[in-house]
Amino acid sequence: MKYDIVFCGVGGQGGISVSVVIARAAMAAGLQVKQSEVHGMSQRGGEVLAHLRISDKPIASPTIPRGCANLILAFEPLEALRYLPWLSRDGAVVAATAPIRNIPTYPEIESVLAEIKALPKAVLLDADALAKEAGNARAANIVLVGAAAKYLPLKADAIETAIAENFARKGDAVVSANVKAFQNGRKANP
Amino acid sequence: MSTETLLGNEAIALGAVHAGLSGAFAYPGTPSTEIMEFLQETAAREAGTANAFVAQWCANEKTAYESALGASYAGRRAMASMKHVGLNVAADPFVNSALIRINGGFVVVVADDPGMHSSQDEQDSRWLADFARIICLEPSDQQEAYDMMRKAFDLSEKHEVPVMIRITTRLAHARAIVKTGPRTPQNPVRKADADMSWILMPAIARKRWRELIEKQKAFAAISDGPDANPLAMKSGKLGVITTGVALPYYRENLADLVASLGAEPSHLHIGMYPMPKEKLRKLAAGVERLLVIEDGYPFVERELRGILPFASPRILGKESGELPIDGELSPDNVRAALGLPEREGFAVKNLVPPSRPPSLCTGCPHTDSLVALKEVLRDYPLHSVNSDIGCYTLGALPPYSAVETCVDMGASIGMARGASEAGLRPTVAVIGDSTFYHSGITNLIDAVSHRTNMTVLILDNGTTGMTGAQPTILPSSGLGNLVRGVGIEPEHVVTLRAHKNEHAKNVEAIRRELAYEGPSVVIMVRECLEAVKKARKA
Ligand code: SF4
């Protein structure tokens, strides 16, 4: 078994931290992981990218070769397009619909979404709304993990545990909102 | 023995701690910053215990290097860590430290940034290790990064030389599972022998230089021996040389390569320099084509190629175009160099995704300083604004388009001074507080000495923002005294609050200092938003 995930979004959306949560869940399940992130300058608003490779055998490259990603988890729709050359022929894209228009050249959102919809396996969802509904507007990244859960080579319970552990420091309210966000995501892509 | 998931930089830090590190010194710089951050977290936890050690940010890479050297002089294991261009700043102590008799193990960790994710060049530090004629170790993954720290300290003490650990961005910023070993106790304090070997006067330095040249034989013997640089001779006509992180990219493609060639290539992996010349000769004798895969400059390739083209084997690599001459390695460009077909993904059909460059945080104090400066400069069609390395470099981009140069740490003040002496008026240097402490102050001393007509804007946000908000080396409240102390006239040291509510007042003050015919300093104060956030989290 080998499972490669590209996480992409805009600085400040929590993309890298989510990749660490899934990596922990994979390790707890006894799997090998390699995770690689692009730390640019720490300012907000630039592109953010992380690669996570999960396997039951030793993993060579820390980054995912083109055409090999089983999943692109995009916290912003335009960012999903940037990494399509990494998506394998039977890979899935799970993306948030809300654009972050912090550049003057941002294309028409309809045409961005149309590119994603044209892919064989694509799920688009309003992660912000589902996060708010769960009680934490900042949990959109966790909603997306929920929406991708059925593709991941991990049990949903194991991911939920890793999420709870990740937020444990921040108190029960934050934990339960994030767990709810995860469940909302799962319901959106059952 | 236990296992942990570690970032490459964390593996290096933990490897150093487990090797008996007593003192670590650094200046922040991507992709090296997390080494010191991890060391400081560990040091804080262990303060007051028998394991206690020192982990300190310093004013710049040179001061960090020199502090580490002093700790080695005292007999303890010490390290300095920095990004590749930081080694330029520390080049003076670096090259000379190869000539002294290292006492406590001394390791310099240098993180190169091929592809320039967050740097102004992609220089390859292996050249500097070679230039200083010291041992350089290059790990291929996180496990090796951990293990090599112990090896580096041992080699340093055994051969009494500094040892460089050279890493690149992909190793620094990737996580993997690492098995850790036992912790070696720290060395006791034991001052270096009084044999003049730390006094580099010409007569002694000449002797030390001969000794360093002699040591090269011992270094070469390790490189060519069984414990470093594994060589596997196989039946194929192709030979492959990998260094550092090229190894996992090669392995990623190996199964496909063997299937396509019908034979496994011979393979030499280099993780230690100076280069293993005997192994290289043996490999070359057994193959027809030799592909060199290395992250950074074509260091191994150029040495192999020499000046005259070899008849056999044919050497392939960056210089011959099989691999890109700039940028970083990836599993894909290694795959292409191995002659394997590209794997296809999906294409975006009807649009080209525009890039999304980073920008200053909304509400960043720099924006208010730059907007005020721009307004004053509107009165001066001919002006020059020399800037520096920091978040404010982004002020070169629209909508600010406020600064015109960014070359190296501290260059803003020197360049503004030179531009002024050359007749360009008015000239303004824009520099952050951390960069000012790092390398700006010496240039300001020149400006005072020559009464250069220029204005220095110190953007004082109390932090090194770009690398993730490490506190500035001294409280910025001391900046005013410092610049007055070197001789800027007190009435031309102006402190302002960098906030849009103060815009009119700030414009007026900057205008006054630009009109003044002599060196003046305007300190624009307001805390970095990221630093505020970090403090709130802690
Ligand atoms: S990190 Fe700090 S200094 Fe950098 S852009 Fe943000 S607020 Fe400004």
Side-chain angles (χ1 to χ4, degrees), chain A residues 42-43, chain B residues 359-361 364-366 391 461 465-466 528-530:
Chain A
S42 74
Q43 298 85 355
Chain B
S359 53
L360 291 167
C361 302
C364 170
H366 296 337
C391 286
N461 59 4
M466 192 163 70
C528 159
L529 305 177
E530 283 292 315

